[in-house]
Amino acid sequence: MAGAIAALVAAAAIAGLGVYSAQLKAQRDVETARVQSIVAMVQQLGEPGTTSAFLSPPGGGAVVAVAMMRGPDRRVLPVGLPANGNDRIYVLWGLPAGGTPAPLGTFDVPADVTGVESVEAGAGGAGYTQFAISLEPGRVAPAAPSRVVAEGAV
């Protein structure tokens, strides 16, 4: 009887270790993908013709996103933006030195964000001195930002 109980406990322990090992592998794979996308973005930040900005909450605080524009390619690396869900959308804005903010495109931040998010193209991305991100109700960029969650200079 004691031998059967010991065998059952050992089998349960081995099964538990197998599940734990699979969970660790999945977490490692997610982090590896995130690191690879961050490294690729950092390499692109230094390329000629690339405009970038580190964006923090209005009023200061830690960087919550990095925005990068290179030609028609627009990307955002969310490092502290919460997931937006299906009823809201993030909008990347270009802020000229003296003028009206222009929506450069929209993007989502999924709950399991693993890296850089591509921004669906809106207006052009050149000539802006600052960038901002707003969180908007619905799934379409408005004419003007309603709730800016991050901003930063080029």
Side-chain angles (χ1 to χ4, degrees), residues 26-51:
Q27 287 175 338
R28 183 202 65 204
D29 292 346
V30 165
E31 289 304 314
T32 299
R34 179 173 172 81
V35 167
Q36 288 172 343
S37 67
I38 290 170
V39 167
M41 186 171 181
V42 168
Q43 289 172 337
Q44 293 173 1
L45 287 173
E47 293 180 8
T50 300
T51 303

Side-chain angles (χ1 to χ4, degrees), residues 60-123:
V63 170
V64 295
V66 180
M68 183 188 79
M69 266 57 62
R70 185 166 191 242
D73 186 29
R74 297 173 183 91
R75 296 180 184 192
V76 172
L77 174 62
V79 293
L81 293 175
N84 58 293
N86 293 329
D87 59 342
R88 297 184 292 171
I89 192 85
Y90 282 105
V91 180
L92 178 64
W93 299 87
L95 308 170
T100 306
L104 301 179
T106 60
F107 64 98
D108 289 304
V109 176
D112 59 348
V113 65
T114 59
V116 178
E117 299 297 319
S118 292
V119 176
E120 294 183 25

Side-chain angles (χ1 to χ4, degrees), residues 1 33 37 40 45 52 57 71 90 116 123-124 126 132 134-136 146 152:
M1 178 86 170
S37 67
L45 287 173
S52 61
Y90 282 105
V116 178
S134 68
L135 184 56
E136 304 295 341
S146 62

